[in-house]
Amino acid sequence: VAKRVGINDIAKAAGVSPTTVSHALNGKGRIPAETRARVQAVAKRLGYTAHAQARALATGRSFTLAIQIAGGGRGAMVPDFSYFIELLNCASEAAIEAGYGLVVVPPGLSKATVRSLPIDGAIVVDPTGQENLLTRRDVALVTTSRAPTKGRQPLWVDNDQTHATRQVLEHFASEGCIRPALLTTPPGQSYVDDVVASYQAWCIEHGCEPLIERVNPPATEAAALPAALRLLGHNPRPDGIYATLDRTAIGIVQAAGKLKLSVPEDLLVAAVTDSPLLAASNPPVTALDLNAPEIGRRAVQLLIAQLEHTDGSLESITVPSTLIVRASSMRRPTRQLPG
Amino acid sequence: VAKRVGINDIAKAAGVSPTTVSHALNGKGRIPAETRARVQAVAKRLGYTAHAQARALATGRSFTLAIQIAGGGRGAMVPDFSYFIELLNCASEAAIEAGYGLVVVPPGLSKATVRSLPIDGAIVVDPTGQENLLTRRDVALVTTSRAPTKGRQPLWVDNDQTHATRQVLEHFASEGCIRPALLTTPPGQSYVDDVVASYQAWCIEHGCEPLIERVNPPATEAAALPAALRLLGHNPRPDGIYATLDRTAIGIVQAAGKLKLSVPEDLLVAAVTDSPLLAASNPPVTALDLNAPEIGRRAVQLLIAQLEHTDGSLESITVPSTLIVRASSMRRPTRQLPG
DNA sequence: ATGAAAGCGCTAACAG
DNA sequence: CTGTTAGCGCTTTCAT
């Protein structure tokens, strides 16, 4: 194995001291641009890469970020799995670009274990507020969707579910829907609460009766079916249903089928997290694309900003979501796009 | 912030030297059991945790493992997403228990980036053989499902798809199926190749004509539909189809519905990766549970064994899979389990 | 503007 | 069996 090229090697090659090399490479100190450029050139030529753990020891930082993902498989903690994979991959990419490693930590770690993690910061995806990781006060924190506040609210990266819900309801209305209903999971996660509140506000504004059913986790298609049937058995019957999970939306479509109701003619359907399942459904279901890649990237950037940008006051970030209109909510004939 | 308790603090408290503490805690050297116990007790009492990056610098190891997950969202690289989340969470848990961190690295990293990762080992999930991570010869490697060999074959953790395929086909046969067909994705990933080979061998043994259709990624329900229709249009018509992905199996069920064929009366259906989708389908689809948690754990253990267990010759691991028989492949009336 | 020197917290030779 | 001594590769005062 070829010996690692270190800061001393490049110091020798450039005819300066290790200190100067360190300064030149990290933009510290006051070094003439010329010297800096030369040192950097030599470093590149020699294929220098900083020895991460040496730097970590010297600086007291680990250049490692943690990301915690809620329950694996059981339950419906993560709205859609492809959502999470995209988020994870993009977060990891952003971290690596910035010179950090992103470690996955399993859910449900003890306080002691959590305390011993050598990390500079952590991302908690869709927190319930129970996560021990959120109790660490010595690391930077970011949540995606907001943590039920308990003590200081960590910075978050989230979608504007309030706006998005309104957007869906207005889309429904424009397609002739006058009695929209809502199918959600139990409250506690911020996005659920946001959708419910926004839905209720819209109903009050438009003088219609709010109609909400809850389905308990695991929120599968099958579990959603009875709740959807209850909604559809209501009098007057709702003519549109918005679901807070992709799989429950499929349950609605199935329920409509059972009752010989046509989607979208008799019932509009939309869901909050876009997924392959919704796109492939029959009919394809209108959905909100939450932009998982952007959420992952932003969460990492916000974390690193807290770590490095000590001065500026940082703010939580709202990532735009996109409403993807599909056949399940289009009463007019579909216009086919060429290609 | 309370100052970290270090090895020197506990040395002082226990009235020994730092070296003795180090040895006592790491099981090195020959230290009387009594001393060792006392030191460990003091360490626990003081809530000592080794400073990871200091140890890393001193030992030259990073105590960090990488895991690479193929494409996020697009394509069908990962057979099922919940499969991957479970694998990831369990791998991460196993790593943390053993004192390692598990970092996620995005797919498609350049050779240079891959080289600069400060890791002791790496897991590549369902490799295609293109992964630059597999070219690092200075770290331990494990793949889940086997890497298309290109140079040395890394150790792997895999299911026995050959056996499992046979198990499915025999189950089909026991339910009266005499013309089983196969619906797969393109070759290249080892599990696909294994299933195809095993299927062909079975057909030859049982004197039936192999009937295989391929569906190109992204292997969605919709993409599988035409392939399934082609299979069902074959003469004589197959009376059972085994699919190598959960979503393509759903495509088969849809195709059967379109042709007014009943599942399971006219057609048995099974799939290779169990998922919520299959369990919730109508009818529920028989599937192979690959035991993702075990695969994740074993992969980490095998990696760490390579790192620490320099002596013993290590072997790749086959994780048992479980056939979960559901309505889609049961001709006899279902016996309901109580509860 | 640059470099010498002192660690960061731990482990590993090597002496006692 | 235990303790002293030297670093691991980098950053960072602090002189020059």
Side-chain angles (χ1 to χ4, degrees):
Chain A
V1 273
K3 203 186 153 306
R4 266 196 84 94
V5 8
I7 202 181
N8 288 299
D9 302 313
I10 103 162
K12 218 157 294 174
V16 293
S17 80
T19 309
T20 306
V21 174
S22 175
H23 283 174
L25 261 32
N26 298 315
K28 300 288 181 66
R30 291 152 307 276
I31 295 189
E34 192 277 320
T35 308
R36 175 156 308 185
R38 187 163 46 86
V39 169
Q40 287 173 342
V42 174
K44 186 157 56 222
R45 182 161 58 73
L46 265 47
Y48 168 78
T49 323
H51 185 102
Q53 36 265 37
R55 180 165 53 182
L57 182 56
T59 57
R61 304 204 2 227
S62 62
F63 295 93
T64 298
L65 272 20
I67 186 165
Q68 186 169 49
I69 57 192
R74 238 153 318 300
M77 307 306 295
V78 178
D80 175 63
F81 295 121
S82 61
Y83 167 85
F84 179 72
I85 303 261
E86 289 183 359
L87 165 28
L88 184 64
N89 268 339
C90 292
S92 153
E93 198 166 73
I96 285 184
E97 273 168 17
Y100 286 76
L102 183 67
V103 315
V104 191
V105 308
L109 289 183
S110 71
K111 270 203 166 87
T113 307
V114 144
R115 232 190 309 271
S116 74
L117 297 173
I119 55 175
D120 295 336
I123 297 170
V124 180
V125 176
D126 287 340
T128 64
Q130 303 306 305
E131 294 77 11
N132 284 324
L133 204 47
L134 294 175
T135 65
R136 275 193 66 161
R137 324 211 94 241
D138 60 333
V139 304
L141 292 175
V142 167
T143 63
T144 71
S145 94
R146 305 181 313 280
T149 175
K150 149 189 236 180
R152 154 198 73 154
Q153 168 84 57
L155 290 176
W156 43 259
V157 177
D158 199 5
N159 301 104
D160 185 348
Q161 297 286 358
T162 303
H163 168 75
T165 300
R166 189 164 288 270
Q167 190 182 1
V168 169
L169 294 173
E170 266 154 24
H171 164 64
F172 272 12
S174 78
E175 297 290 322
C177 171
I178 53 175
R179 284 182 306 277
L182 185 64
L183 183 63
T184 80
T185 46
Q189 290 176 288
S190 75
Y191 78 92
V192 173
D193 299 346
D194 289 348
V195 170
V196 170
S198 181
Y199 168 76
Q200 288 175 326
W202 195 89
C203 284
I204 289 174
E205 281 175 33
H206 292 73
C208 65
E209 180 88 7
L211 183 56
I212 303 181
E213 280 285 344
R214 307 255 179 201
V215 36
N216 292 318
T220 59
E221 294 79 357
L225 195 65
L229 288 172
R230 282 197 302 278
L231 280 179
L232 293 173
H234 199 270
N235 193 334
R237 197 178 66 218
D239 54 354
I241 306 183
Y242 184 38
T244 56
L245 282 180
D246 59 339
R247 297 180 64 185
T248 55
I250 298 298
I252 295 170
V253 172
Q254 292 174 351
K258 273 209 164 43
L259 298 177
K260 310 287 181 215
L261 295 174
S262 161
V263 175
E265 278 72 25
D266 304 314
L267 181 73
L268 304 180
V269 177
V272 86
T273 311
D274 192 26
S275 79
L277 187 60
L278 295 174
S281 163
N282 181 22
V285 176
T286 292
L288 213 58
D289 180 355
L290 299 179
N291 203 350
E294 187 68 6
I295 294 177
R297 266 189 297 270
R298 293 311 202 116
V300 165
Q301 288 165 358
L302 193 50
L303 214 42
I304 294 178
Q306 289 182 64
L307 259 21
E308 308 190 334
H309 217 38
T310 322
D311 45 316
S313 67
L314 295 165
E315 285 179 6
S316 294
I317 296 174
T318 299
V319 170
S321 55
T322 310
L323 182 63
I324 302 187
V325 176
R326 299 203 180 93
S328 74
S329 69
M330 287 192 291
R331 288 256 167 79
R332 336 291 172 103
T334 310
R335 273 174 293 278
Q336 292 284 6
L337 295 175
Chain B
V1 274
K3 202 186 154 300
R4 265 195 87 93
V5 10
I7 202 179
N8 288 298
D9 303 312
I10 103 159
K12 218 157 294 174
V16 293
S17 80
T19 309
T20 305
V21 175
S22 176
H23 283 175
L25 263 30
N26 298 316
K28 300 290 182 65
R30 290 153 305 278
I31 295 188
E34 192 276 322
T35 309
R36 175 157 307 183
R38 186 162 48 86
V39 170
Q40 287 173 342
V42 173
K44 187 158 54 216
R45 182 161 58 74
L46 268 47
Y48 169 78
T49 322
H51 186 102
Q53 35 266 34
R55 180 165 53 182
L57 181 56
T59 57
R61 304 200 6 225
S62 63
F63 295 93
T64 298
L65 272 20
I67 187 166
Q68 186 168 50
I69 57 193
R74 239 152 317 301
M77 305 307 293
V78 178
D80 174 62
F81 295 120
S82 61
Y83 167 86
F84 180 73
I85 303 262
E86 290 183 359
L87 166 26
L88 184 64
N89 267 339
C90 292
S92 152
E93 198 166 71
I96 284 184
E97 272 168 18
Y100 287 75
L102 183 67
V103 314
V104 192
V105 307
L109 290 183
S110 71
K111 270 205 165 85
T113 307
V114 144
R115 233 191 307 272
S116 74
L117 297 174
I119 56 175
D120 295 336
I123 297 171
V124 181
V125 175
D126 287 339
T128 64
Q130 302 307 304
E131 293 78 10
N132 283 326
L133 204 45
L134 293 175
T135 65
R136 273 193 68 161
R137 324 210 96 242
D138 61 334
V139 304
L141 291 176
V142 168
T143 63
T144 71
S145 94
R146 305 180 317 278
T149 176
K150 146 188 238 183
R152 155 198 72 154
Q153 168 84 57
L155 290 175
W156 43 260
V157 177
D158 200 4
N159 301 103
D160 185 348
Q161 298 285 358
T162 303
H163 169 75
T165 300
R166 189 164 288 269
Q167 190 181 0
V168 168
L169 294 173
E170 266 153 24
H171 164 64
F172 272 12
S174 77
E175 297 289 322
C177 170
I178 53 177
R179 285 182 304 275
L182 186 64
L183 184 62
T184 81
T185 46
Q189 290 175 290
S190 76
Y191 79 93
V192 172
D193 299 345
D194 289 347
V195 169
V196 169
S198 181
Y199 167 77
Q200 288 174 327
W202 195 91
C203 285
I204 289 173
E205 281 174 32
H206 293 74
C208 64
E209 179 87 7
L211 183 56
I212 302 181
E213 279 286 343
R214 307 256 180 202
V215 36
N216 292 319
T220 59
E221 293 80 356
L225 195 66
L229 288 172
R230 283 197 302 276
L231 280 178
L232 292 173
H234 200 270
N235 193 333
R237 197 178 65 217
D239 54 354
I241 305 182
Y242 184 38
T244 57
L245 283 181
D246 59 338
R247 298 180 65 185
T248 54
I250 298 298
I252 295 170
V253 171
Q254 291 174 352
K258 273 211 163 46
L259 298 177
K260 309 288 180 214
L261 295 174
S262 161
V263 176
E265 278 72 25
D266 303 316
L267 181 72
L268 304 179
V269 176
V272 87
T273 310
D274 191 27
S275 79
L277 186 60
L278 295 175
S281 162
N282 182 20
V285 175
T286 291
L288 214 58
D289 179 355
L290 298 179
N291 203 350
E294 186 69 6
I295 295 177
R297 267 188 296 271
R298 294 310 203 114
V300 165
Q301 288 164 0
L302 193 51
L303 213 43
I304 294 178
Q306 289 182 65
L307 259 21
E308 308 191 335
H309 217 39
T310 322
D311 45 317
S313 68
L314 294 165
E315 284 179 5
S316 294
I317 294 174
T318 300
V319 169
S321 54
T322 309
L323 183 61
I324 300 188
V325 176
R326 298 204 180 91
S328 74
S329 70
M330 288 193 290
R331 288 255 167 79
R332 335 290 170 104
T334 310
R335 273 174 295 277
Q336 292 284 8
L337 295 175

